[in-house]
Amino acid sequence: MNQLIVCEMSSEFKVDVISHDFEESGLSSLNGEVTLAERVNEVFGVLNVNRKQGNGSISNIVTNTERRAFSDKVSRGKRAAVDDSINLQIDGDEKREHGPAKKSGPLLSGTAYCISSCSMILLNKVVLSGYNFNAGISLMFYQNLISSLVVVLLGLCRVVSVEKLNWKLIRVWIPVNVIFIGMLVSGMYSLKYINIAMVTILKNMTNILTAIGELYIFRKHQNQKVWTAMFLMIISAVSGGITDLSFDPVGYAWQIMNCILTASYSLTLRRVMDEAKKSTRSGSLNEVSMVLLNNLLSLPFAIFLIILFGEWEYVINADVTKSPMFWVVATASGFLGLAISFTSMWFLQQTSPTTYSLVGSLNKIPISIAGLVLFKVPLSLPNCFSILFGLFAGVFFARAKMSK
């Protein structure tokens, strides 16, 4: 190959072409094919042969100076090849180190989200039903206080980015926060009177109310699959309520109110989000700032409601509040409430909104099973079928939303 280059190329380009070819050969020599010294000797051997045969143009080109320049160029090529091989090796090591971490990210974040979500619901059920705690507003106040303190502390330590609050932003956010408080309180009381599986099935009604609100407020139309899934949700909710052996009208009333408030929260949040962003200095409002806004602004409203309904007297005099284990469980539920916010954000960063929605729907299955087993809920075969049908409808709804 090299002999063809020397013989055929014009004299003014021969050295450059040969040297370029042998810069590439440095990579081959690293792999043990031919050493660089052997290739250089071969080149000059070919040049000498051509000179002896009377090719004077070659002897004129390859002067001593050009030989030195050629040797320098070959040396630089060899050094570059060695450096490249080292860089390739380092890059390969880094890929091997970061590859498993990248693959395990969605699994770890998804697992953390599911565990925190399941644990939060189960612990709230333990506090409200297991300990027979009759002050849902006070429990909400305690949990939101914990969340606010933790977020403020993380913000001061610069672990998370928190938007600075101002009166304009607070005024814009108050309608959202009032609905947020109602949503939490109604959720607390519905969970106290209804078993977890039925709460999970009835919560599907929120999707229907949200879709109707989107249709009339935002003119957003759903496809046929979505409406079919919502029809299945209605059937499962009605049949589940009829066959519920532990049916409690007070609990169902609270849950219906919770569905209305949850849908209202979602729709109102969408309406005020743009205005809220304009009220911040940075022009944006991240998830952590919204968590702080909701939890911090809820505290004065919660204090007002606690005084209004006389819960403070119950909390002071109740025997359950004197139990250290009660406070351990209540505190853990507060931390888990915040953990849901952070793990959901982490999970969304690792995956996509569609995956997040589907996992959230599938997560209702272990929550329902755990609630039925741990709290020994009386079940009939029709009620069990209604619950399974409702869980299927929830997964079908998530899949239908993805296919839009």
Side-chain angles (χ1 to χ4, degrees):
M1 176 68 179
N2 298 317
Q3 291 177 359
L4 288 174
I5 293 174
V6 173
C7 295
E8 293 177 1
M9 295 294 292
S10 62
S11 61
E12 56 188 308
F13 293 109
K14 285 177 183 175
V15 174
D16 287 337
V17 173
I18 293 170
S19 64
H20 174 72
D21 188 38
F22 291 146
E23 284 177 10
E24 295 177 352
S25 74
L27 287 173
S28 299
S29 69
L30 289 173
N31 294 326
E33 293 179 0
V34 181
T35 62
L36 191 63
E38 291 174 350
R39 299 295 296 273
V40 172
N41 290 333
E42 183 182 358
V43 172
F44 287 115
V46 171
L47 294 175
N48 287 330
V49 169
N50 280 279
R51 186 178 59 185
K52 288 177 182 179
Q53 291 176 351
N55 192 346
S57 62
I58 295 294
S59 60
N60 291 334
I61 293 168
V62 187
T63 61
N64 291 333
T65 304
E66 288 170 336
R67 283 178 181 244
R68 285 195 298 271
F70 175 68
S71 300
D72 292 340
K73 204 166 190 179
V74 170
S75 299
R76 288 195 299 270
K78 184 176 180 181
R79 285 195 299 269
V82 173
D83 292 340
D84 289 342
S85 67
I86 293 172
N87 290 333
L88 288 171
Q89 185 176 0
I90 292 172
D91 292 342
D93 293 339
E94 289 179 351
K95 287 180 180 178
R96 284 193 293 272
E97 289 176 4
H98 296 291
K102 188 175 181 180
K103 291 179 180 179
S104 62
L107 179 62
L108 290 175
S109 59
T111 303
Y113 166 69
C114 291
I115 291 174
S116 58
S117 179
C118 290
S119 302
M120 173 68 176
I121 294 174
L122 293 173
L123 284 182
N124 276 345
K125 183 67 175 176
V126 169
V127 173
L128 295 166
S129 298
Y131 285 98
N132 197 27
F133 188 66
N134 296 317
I137 301 173
S138 299
L139 179 60
M140 180 205 71
F141 171 80
Y142 184 63
Q143 291 177 346
N144 290 1
L145 177 63
I146 291 173
S147 298
S148 300
L149 291 174
V150 172
V151 173
V152 169
L153 183 62
L154 292 176
L156 291 174
C157 296
R158 299 184 183 279
V159 177
V160 295
S161 175
V162 180
E163 190 69 35
K164 291 183 178 180
L165 305 184
N166 57 71
W167 285 112
K168 185 178 179 182
L169 177 60
I170 291 172
R171 283 195 301 269
V172 171
W173 202 261
I174 281 178
V176 178
N177 192 250
V178 170
I179 300 173
F180 174 76
I181 295 167
M183 180 181 72
L184 291 184
V185 172
S186 59
M188 292 283 190
Y189 282 109
S190 66
L191 193 61
K192 177 177 174 59
Y193 296 106
I194 310 176
N195 68 74
I196 292 176
M198 280 309 304
V199 167
T200 302
I201 301 306
L202 293 171
K203 275 183 177 293
N204 287 335
M205 301 299 292
T206 302
N207 297 323
I208 301 171
L209 297 174
T210 303
I212 294 172
E214 288 178 339
L215 178 62
Y216 286 99
I217 298 173
F218 301 106
R219 304 300 178 192
K220 182 179 179 182
H221 296 271
Q222 307 292 342
N223 60 32
Q224 192 63 39
K225 289 183 179 180
V226 173
W227 289 111
T228 302
M230 290 190 287
F231 178 70
L232 296 177
M233 289 176 179
I234 294 173
I235 295 175
S236 66
V238 173
S239 62
I242 293 172
T243 58
D244 188 2
L245 298 179
S246 56
F247 180 84
D248 191 308
V250 176
Y252 273 75
W254 278 113
Q255 186 54 52
I256 292 171
M257 188 183 300
N258 177 258
C259 291
I260 295 171
L261 289 169
T262 303
S264 301
Y265 174 76
S266 175
L267 297 169
T268 306
L269 183 64
R270 192 174 304 179
R271 286 181 67 90
V272 305
M273 182 57 72
D274 291 337
E275 190 176 351
K277 289 179 180 179
K278 294 177 184 177
S279 302
T280 62
R281 293 181 181 178
S282 63
S284 64
L285 193 65
N286 58 28
E287 293 284 346
V288 179
S289 299
M290 285 193 286
V291 169
L292 180 61
L293 262 174
N294 276 329
N295 288 280
L296 194 61
L297 293 182
S298 68
L299 298 181
F301 288 106
I303 292 172
F304 172 76
L305 293 174
I306 289 170
I307 296 172
L308 180 65
F309 292 103
E311 278 195 4
W312 63 276
E313 293 180 357
Y314 169 80
V315 173
I316 293 173
N317 298 319
D319 293 333
V320 68
T321 56
K322 297 178 176 63
S323 170
M325 219 31 227
F326 167 80
W327 289 106
V328 171
V329 176
T331 304
S333 68
F335 280 107
L336 282 170
L338 185 61
I340 291 173
S341 300
F342 285 113
T343 54
S344 62
M345 285 186 285
W346 181 28
F347 190 34
L348 273 170
Q349 289 174 351
Q350 295 291 327
T351 56
S352 64
T354 52
T355 304
Y356 174 82
S357 176
L358 182 59
V359 170
S361 298
L362 293 172
N363 194 37
K364 294 177 181 179
I365 298 174
I367 292 174
S368 300
I369 295 172
L372 293 173
V373 173
L374 293 176
F375 297 97
K376 299 177 181 178
V377 178
L379 276 178
S380 63
L381 187 60
N383 185 242
C384 185
F385 177 77
S386 298
I387 291 171
L388 292 175
F389 187 73
L391 293 172
F392 163 76
V395 176
F396 183 66
F397 175 80
R399 295 281 303 191
K401 292 284 282 186
M402 291 179 194
S403 64
K404 286 185 65 178

